[in-house]
Amino acid sequence: MTLLRTRMSRNNPIKTSFIRSLITLAIFSFPALASEHLSAVASEWPPYALTKTKPYSGIDMDLTHIIGQRLGQKIELKRCSFKRCLAETEVGSVDIISGIARNKEREQYLTYTDTPYSHVEVAFLVRKGEASLVQNYEDLYKFKVGTVVKSEYFEPFNSDPKINRYQVSEEAILLHMLANKRIDVIIGTNPNIDYQTLKLGYSDKFETVEYNTGVSVPIYYAISKKSPHTSKIGQIDQIIKELIADGQMERIHSKYK
């Protein structure tokens, strides 16, 4: 067989050259085609991301679908914990993340849109009848406060070493712990925490504390700085601006109220 292949190569130089060209084209073309797909991560964060079962839904899922359509590219979604999603974008194994607040640490590895697509309000929850336990910020020092790991709330809370934190992967876990008296106070954001309280059947069991943070946190789309698609951040920002201007953004949000 070796002799036969050698003779064929010698007798058919044009054919051999053509085959080599096809192989080279295949090697270099298929990765290029694959890279045209964008990837995005999503963690369970109702009503923005409902990822417990497929097909995924929520505000972010609807927006990501529209963004993909307008970019003319398929966006493949991957579910992960919020902490894991951040890690994936940091190393560049995925391109896009949504539902993300800005901070200096994240800005080291993410490029954000200029325009936020939504805002969330920071709130502390306790069991019904215990709202007066937290009347001011300093009252938080008396309790174990449930938080979602790697979440950005507000300063000084984010960096306050005197806060006794209990960290979990998602807000639903905090609600169960609060209901079962395993924790005293939890911090969350609205509309998220109200949405989950209703869905989990806890509407009559919790209330917000008397202390009002008055904090509204803008949330964004961002692309990993290690993604080959960082140049698309301007296009995504423009799509978000258009959706806000024509009222479609508000309609998407209203769909999940």
Side-chain angles (χ1 to χ4, degrees):
M1 290 293 291
T2 302
L3 180 60
L4 177 61
R5 283 200 295 267
T6 301
R7 284 177 177 171
M8 285 181 67
S9 297
R10 288 175 179 171
N11 295 334
N12 299 279
I14 296 175
K15 183 177 180 180
T16 302
S17 177
F18 178 69
I19 292 171
R20 285 175 179 168
S21 297
L22 286 177
I23 292 170
T24 302
L25 181 64
I27 289 171
F28 287 102
S29 295
F30 286 117
L33 288 172
S35 69
E36 287 303 307
H37 287 177
L38 292 167
S39 57
V41 284
S43 57
E44 180 72 8
W45 198 44
Y48 291 91
L50 303 164
T51 61
K52 293 292 188 183
T53 58
K54 290 186 176 181
Y56 301 152
S57 60
I59 295 168
D60 287 12
M61 304 301 99
D62 288 4
L63 284 176
T64 299
H65 179 68
I66 293 170
I67 289 169
Q69 283 185 324
R70 296 198 181 184
L71 289 175
Q73 289 182 288
K74 180 180 179 181
I75 300 180
E76 297 175 346
L77 285 165
K78 176 181 179 180
R79 183 182 186 274
C80 46
S81 69
F82 185 59
K83 183 178 180 181
R84 180 66 184 176
C85 287
L86 288 174
E88 295 265 7
T89 54
E90 185 170 7
V91 299
S93 57
V94 294
D95 302 306
I96 299 172
I97 187 169
S98 58
I100 188 82
R102 299 182 82 129
N103 67 25
K104 290 182 179 179
E105 178 188 350
R106 295 170 186 171
E107 287 175 346
Q108 297 299 310
Y109 57 88
L110 292 174
T111 300
Y112 287 81
T113 57
D114 291 331
T115 310
Y117 68 93
S118 192
H119 289 76
V120 293
E121 314 296 323
V122 176
F124 290 95
L125 262 66
V126 291
R127 287 176 289 274
K128 205 78 168 179
E130 297 180 348
S132 61
L133 291 177
V134 182
Q135 299 180 32
N136 53 60
Y137 180 83
E138 287 71 26
D139 283 340
L140 293 170
Y141 297 149
K142 305 172 187 176
F143 306 102
K144 182 184 289 185
V145 182
T147 72
V148 174
V149 65
K150 287 286 187 178
S151 287
E152 186 80 2
Y153 298 107
F154 68 101
E155 290 295 347
F157 183 86
N158 295 328
S159 57
D160 193 340
K162 291 186 285 186
I163 297 290
N164 181 15
R165 292 174 175 77
Y166 188 93
Q167 297 185 318
V168 299
S169 60
E170 58 185 60
E171 286 177 341
I173 297 172
L174 293 177
L175 291 169
H176 291 312
M177 292 181 69
L178 186 62
N180 293 317
K181 299 183 178 181
R182 294 176 55 197
I183 205 163
D184 307 307
V185 183
I186 67 172
I187 185 172
T189 53
N190 278 321
N192 318 83
I193 209 81
D194 280 351
Y195 184 94
Q196 293 198 79
T197 298
L198 178 64
K199 293 296 181 181
L200 294 172
Y202 289 143
S203 295
D204 61 340
K205 296 185 182 297
F206 306 141
E207 61 185 1
T208 55
V209 301
E210 290 183 8
Y211 167 58
N212 181 2
T213 67
V215 175
S216 178
V217 181
I219 56 175
Y220 300 82
Y221 270 76
I223 295 183
S224 168
K225 288 187 176 180
K226 293 186 178 179
S227 166
H229 303 289
T230 52
S231 62
K232 295 188 183 295
I233 196 69
Q235 292 173 266
I236 294 174
D237 185 69
Q238 183 59 36
I239 292 167
I240 289 170
K241 286 178 179 175
E242 291 169 358
L243 293 173
I244 293 171
D246 68 14
Q248 192 168 354
M249 187 72 76
E250 184 177 352
R251 290 192 292 274
I252 292 170
H253 279 69
S254 297
K255 178 180 173 182
Y256 294 96
K257 287 182 178 178

